[in-house]
Amino acid sequence: MRVGYGWLVMGALAGCTVFGTGASAAEVKYLDEFDLSAMSCGMGAKAQARRSILGKPLRLGDKTYERGVGTHSESLMFFRADGRVAAFDAVVGVDRETQEYPASWRTGKNWGSCSFRVYADGRKVCDSGVIKEKDAPKPLHADLEGAQWILLECSDGGFWAGYLCGHGDWADARFTFNDGAKLEPVKDDPLLDQWGVLTPPEAQEPRINGAAVWGVRPGHPILYRIPVTGRSPVTLTVEGLKAEKLKGVKFDPQTRLLSGSVAEAGDYELVLKAENAKGKAERKFTLKVGEKIALTPPMGWNSWNIYGGSVTDAKVREIARGMHESGLADHGWAYVNIDDWWMKNSGAGEKGNADHAGPVRDAEGRFIPQAKFPDMKALADYVHGFGLKIGIYSSPGDKTCGGCEGSLGHEAIDAKTWADWGIDYLKHDWCGYGKVFAKETKGRKPTVDDYAKPYRLMSQCLRAQNRDIVHAFCQYGMGDVQSWGEAAGAQVWRSWGDLKDNWTCVLNATESYAEAYKYTRPGFWCDPDMMVVGYLDTDFGMHESFLSNNEQYTHMSLWCLLNAPLLLGCDLNHMSDFTKGLLMNDDVLALNQDTLGRQAERVHHDEETDIWWRPLEDGSSAAGIVNRYPFKRTVTFKFSEAGLSGECWVQDLWRQKSLGLHRDGIAVDVPGHATFMIRIEPDCIRCQERRARK
Ligand code: GAL
């Protein structure tokens, strides 16, 4: 549509300031006139011309807009230009329709929010800031004179809110051109590059994976399957088991399982040796018998992000089989954890759900699991049969978050029941305890003791059992759990609410980590929640994670750098090649399982870039260079930011390839929302040797 520049444009842009471009004539083209298939759109939806994302009229505040585009965060549209596009103008906000969702959706923080940005040639030109659904819409003006490329971004305005209700409207959105300007939407521009599979194919030579240390309490059963890859058959031997004090320990070369127990505390040094037709591998391994367990972050799976309340014995068995058969177990993945709904929900039982009917506990006060879990001990035996471990879930309250039977008043018998079944991990979720807490702290400020009390009690009960059960506190970071979790008996504490598969959620979760490095160390880990990669169901039916490939790389990179427990929530029997590459990169996983256990610190933070850095056991270190912007940028990591100097050998961890020697820093190309992971060997370690080899 061609119009004279001036009153006509100004009139159509009520509330928006448009600056002249110096051109005497201008052309205006509305965003809704472009091919919107070039606009990416969150939640698997499609951007709508002149309509909201739900196909209704575009409504912001009290006003209905004729022109514009409705989308869902995260959403991007990229254009190539020729320097003659003058400006972009729009009124932006969260469409009114999110306020009309059923009341059942509208709990807690569950309201819409978005933020809108325009970038040109690597610069942010304008930014709406976070707009919530009840906020007034905002006019945006971007001066684009000279731009060669332009990017419109509608991103999530915050945790949960934007994920569900990020209904962003670019209302009245239009470009103003100088005469003859070119503006083309582009889908596959190199600046919007998404990484595919970066992990190289598994080597034929044997490789011993997983942690180089395992902690077990004196006299308690050892269950450790040594993770090994390489072309079959691989022969595995363990040296050092002949020591008198280790006579109770057995190693089965067929199952690769270390079992038995050690009565006396101490560090027992073993050597693991693997051999096949292609080569040999060797690694030191310490069996640390003592009080501390979970000496490296637990790695495994949890049922919540895929099955929610529909988890069953059969599904858990399938997953255990999948963890084994997919090869995940050979890379160190080991826990199979059942979340809420394995126990009975009397409310559901009363409403006619036969699985939940009848008593929730027996005469001795032991749990009676719901009918889809007919024999918990048999299930635990099945999972252990693969050399894997099994976890369970409960609440310190009378009810769990899902309204199932909790452990309040039954702590001792529950801990014993779980030990009898063979449980290895407890996720202990605050939820139902909120009522008790409110009563106990009525009229006063809660103390650390108030928060810690129910966890301390369960910890003592778990410690009284004849097997090790990892105690994972799940209370979302309340009362600064970081600072007292260890003292109250945690091996793991949640620092944050539920993680969803969207970019802002992942970035926000790591914010809760900025101070965590002060408290985490071997045996004590901070948990920003279970992973949201792969094929899962985080509320909207089974789907490939709504995170882009690059965002999944960032998620995995950060969880490894930060020593987060790695608990998958996806279907282990339906993993794409991309998911497999993401989860089976041993160089990346090795960071998470490094025995030094030093969590990364953020050594650089600005709007565009985060750099997380951590030292490693062998004297080298690792860094993750996170591109917070949605397009490809060259980012420089100055070694001095991490206290390193001189010449360093750098390795690209995702691609497992050397990047050679670098002095003072390294510049890398990082696609939008991706993380470039490097390992750095300072000159003092192996550079001489490497140089000679080159
Ligand atoms: C939430 C918890 C989730 C899941 C759920 C089960 O409180 O954060 O991870 O366990 O309860 O009902």
Side-chain angles (χ1 to χ4, degrees):
M1 158 175 147
R2 233 168 211 286
V3 292
Y5 191 75
W7 288 112
L8 199 50
V9 176
M10 290 296 281
L13 282 177
C16 222
T17 324
V18 179
F19 303 104
T21 61
S24 58
E27 186 183 356
V28 165
K29 186 166 174 177
Y30 282 89
L31 184 59
D32 57 39
E33 294 176 76
F34 286 91
D35 173 7
L36 292 179
S37 67
M39 183 180 271
S40 67
C41 189
M43 311 290 293
K46 283 201 175 82
Q48 305 286 319
R50 296 177 172 222
R51 286 270 176 260
S52 75
I53 193 65
L54 292 185
K56 298 183 182 166
L58 290 162
R59 286 176 304 156
L60 292 177
D62 299 333
K63 216 172 147 182
T64 302
Y65 290 81
E66 266 297 302
R67 308 298 307 245
V69 171
T71 190
H72 196 298
S73 62
E74 308 281 325
S75 167
L76 294 175
M77 190 159 178
F78 187 84
F79 298 85
R80 283 283 167 194
D82 65 354
R84 293 171 53 77
V85 177
F88 173 77
D89 289 271
V91 180
V92 293
V94 179
D95 196 281
R96 256 196 92 85
E97 69 195 5
T98 66
Q99 295 179 49
E100 290 155 11
Y101 269 139
S104 58
W105 278 52
R106 307 191 52 75
T107 54
K109 294 181 184 150
N110 188 1
W111 59 78
S113 69
C114 290
S115 68
F116 300 80
R117 286 173 168 186
V118 181
Y119 305 87
D121 295 341
R123 277 180 314 113
K124 187 179 75 177
V125 190
C126 60
D127 187 346
S128 70
V130 173
I131 308 180
K132 293 198 176 156
E133 68 181 15
K134 290 197 176 144
D135 292 345
K138 289 190 184 168
L140 272 193
H141 169 81
D143 214 337
L144 298 171
E145 199 83 42
Q148 299 298 312
W149 64 258
I150 298 156
L151 182 62
L152 305 183
E153 177 190 48
C154 164
S155 78
D156 177 355
F159 169 61
W160 256 104
Y163 173 78
L164 284 173
C165 300
H167 297 203
D169 288 349
W170 297 97
D172 259 349
R174 75 230 313 147
F175 290 93
T176 313
F177 306 108
N178 290 317
D179 267 349
K182 282 205 192 93
L183 184 66
E184 292 280 327
V186 190
K187 278 189 216 171
D188 301 317
D189 194 90
L191 276 172
L192 292 176
D193 188 22
Q194 289 290 325
W195 276 339
V197 178
L198 300 182
T199 304
E202 210 163 275
Q204 303 266 308
E205 295 78 18
R207 174 168 172 155
I208 301 166
N209 302 311
V213 64
W214 180 252
V216 64
R217 297 196 176 113
H220 286 191
I222 300 164
L223 177 74
Y224 186 77
R225 180 175 177 273
I226 300 167
V228 179
T229 47
R231 194 163 102 188
S232 291
V234 181
T235 311
L236 191 65
T237 50
V238 179
E239 286 178 4
L241 287 177
K242 295 217 171 76
E244 180 57 23
K245 288 179 187 165
L246 295 183
K247 64 176 191 294
V249 180
K250 282 190 294 259
F251 173 66
D252 179 342
Q254 292 308 314
T255 58
R256 300 177 179 166
L257 205 63
L258 273 173
S259 61
S261 64
V262 183
E264 208 174 301
D267 287 359
Y268 300 93
E269 306 297 344
L270 306 175
V271 178
L272 315 180
K273 289 187 171 174
E275 189 170 350
N276 68 5
K278 293 285 176 182
K280 291 181 183 180
E282 186 172 316
R283 193 199 232 204
K284 288 191 179 145
F285 183 86
T286 311
L287 191 61
K288 275 186 177 282
V289 182
E291 258 314 296
K292 286 189 197 159
I293 57 172
L295 298 179
T296 60
M299 282 173 69
W301 175 93
N302 172 293
S303 58
W304 187 249
N305 281 341
I306 168 168
Y307 300 133
S310 68
V311 64
T312 63
D313 171 295
K315 289 176 178 169
V316 173
R317 284 174 192 246
E318 278 292 284
I319 290 290
R321 195 177 51 74
M323 192 178 277
H324 179 78
E325 285 177 1
S326 65
L328 279 170
D330 295 328
H331 297 269
W333 299 89
Y335 285 90
V336 177
N337 293 351
I338 312 167
D339 207 277
D340 208 350
W341 288 86
W342 63 266
M343 62 295 267
K344 277 191 188 167
N345 182 313
S346 47
E350 279 154 24
K351 282 192 197 132
N353 184 333
D355 291 340
H356 292 270
V360 293
R361 290 180 180 269
D362 68 13
E364 276 78 47
R366 285 186 295 245
F367 274 113
I368 303 176
Q370 55 114 324
K372 294 280 180 339
F373 284 92
D375 187 341
M376 294 300 275
K377 168 113 183 42
L379 175 59
D381 289 348
Y382 179 83
V383 174
H384 288 158
F386 291 109
L388 303 172
K389 291 177 259 293
I390 184 164
I392 214 157
Y393 170 98
S394 189
S395 172
D398 60 339
K399 295 273 189 274
T400 66
C401 290
C404 300
E405 175 70 359
S407 290
L408 184 68
H410 299 275
E411 292 80 4
I413 185 91
D414 287 356
K416 169 140 192 345
T417 306
W418 295 327
D420 290 346
W421 289 343
I423 297 298
D424 304 298
Y425 189 107
L426 169 68
K427 172 172 169 182
H428 200 197
D429 192 353
W430 176 269
C431 260
Y433 191 75
K435 286 178 288 185
V436 183
F437 181 79
K439 205 163 150 202
E440 287 185 354
T441 58
K442 196 166 178 208
R444 65 177 175 83
K445 203 167 168 262
T447 62
V448 161
D449 233 43
D450 294 319
Y451 286 107
K453 189 173 135 189
Y455 287 101
R456 196 176 292 128
L457 171 61
M458 180 55 88
S459 252
Q460 285 157 0
C461 296
L462 294 176
R463 185 63 194 89
Q465 306 310 312
N466 57 4
R467 65 183 296 114
D468 295 341
I469 302 179
V470 172
H471 194 181
F473 297 6
C474 175
Q475 50 84 288
Y476 341 111
M478 291 183 304
D480 193 23
V481 63
Q482 322 246 38
S483 60
W484 53 264
E486 176 181 336
Q491 280 78 47
V492 170
W493 55 82
R494 262 272 285 273
S495 56
W496 167 253
D498 288 13
L499 188 76
K500 295 289 169 185
D501 41 342
N502 87 329
W503 173 240
T504 316
C505 242
V506 170
L507 270 198
N508 283 355
T510 60
E511 292 301 323
S512 68
Y513 257 91
E515 297 292 304
Y517 69 91
K518 295 181 188 156
Y519 306 107
T520 59
R521 61 196 180 93
F524 310 100
W525 310 111
C526 179
D527 174 15
D529 202 15
M530 299 160 313
M531 306 199 70
V532 283
V533 299
Y535 188 55
L536 35 63
D537 179 1
T538 39
D539 290 334
F540 296 92
M542 289 301 290
H543 59 271
E544 284 295 337
S545 175
F546 292 137
L547 295 172
S548 68
N549 285 7
N550 292 347
E551 291 165 351
Q552 294 190 54
Y553 274 115
T554 292
H555 183 7
M556 186 69 187
S557 300
L558 289 174
W559 265 235
C560 286
L561 280 162
L562 294 170
N563 282 338
L566 301 179
L567 293 170
L568 302 169
C570 57
D571 187 344
L572 306 188
N573 292 299
H574 293 97
M575 289 189 289
S576 65
D577 288 346
F578 173 79
T579 304
K580 286 182 186 164
L582 189 74
L583 304 180
M584 301 194 213
N585 187 313
D586 298 307
D587 284 8
V588 174
L589 292 171
L591 301 184
N592 184 264
Q593 296 296 303
D594 186 66
T595 44
L596 188 64
R598 270 282 298 279
Q599 185 204 299
E601 291 171 44
R602 191 156 59 178
V603 296
H604 180 104
H605 173 54
D606 61 34
E607 191 178 295
E608 303 168 18
T609 310
D610 279 341
I611 300 179
W612 295 84
W613 175 84
R614 60 179 287 179
L616 298 168
E617 174 74 26
D618 67 357
S620 67
S621 62
I625 302 162
V626 186
N627 181 4
R628 297 171 67 104
Y629 269 6
F631 50 88
K632 188 189 262 179
R633 293 168 47 238
T634 304
V635 186
T636 301
F637 170 38
K638 290 191 211 117
F639 294 154
S640 59
E641 289 185 293
L644 301 168
S645 59
E647 206 169 38
C648 297
W649 196 277
V650 181
Q651 200 201 2
D652 174 336
L653 282 170
W654 278 113
R655 295 181 182 81
Q656 303 188 351
K657 78 171 199 224
S658 167
L659 298 176
L661 286 167
H662 291 263
R663 180 169 289 284
D664 301 328
I666 183 167
V668 287
D669 283 342
V670 196
H673 293 179
T675 294
F676 201 105
M677 291 274 276
I678 54 174
R679 197 165 70 85
I680 308 154
E681 293 182 12
D683 208 21
C684 52
I685 314 182
R686 279 192 289 259
C687 284
Q688 303 299 340
E689 189 193 312
R690 298 271 207 184
R691 212 175 276 123
R693 244 194 277 154
K694 192 180 169 198

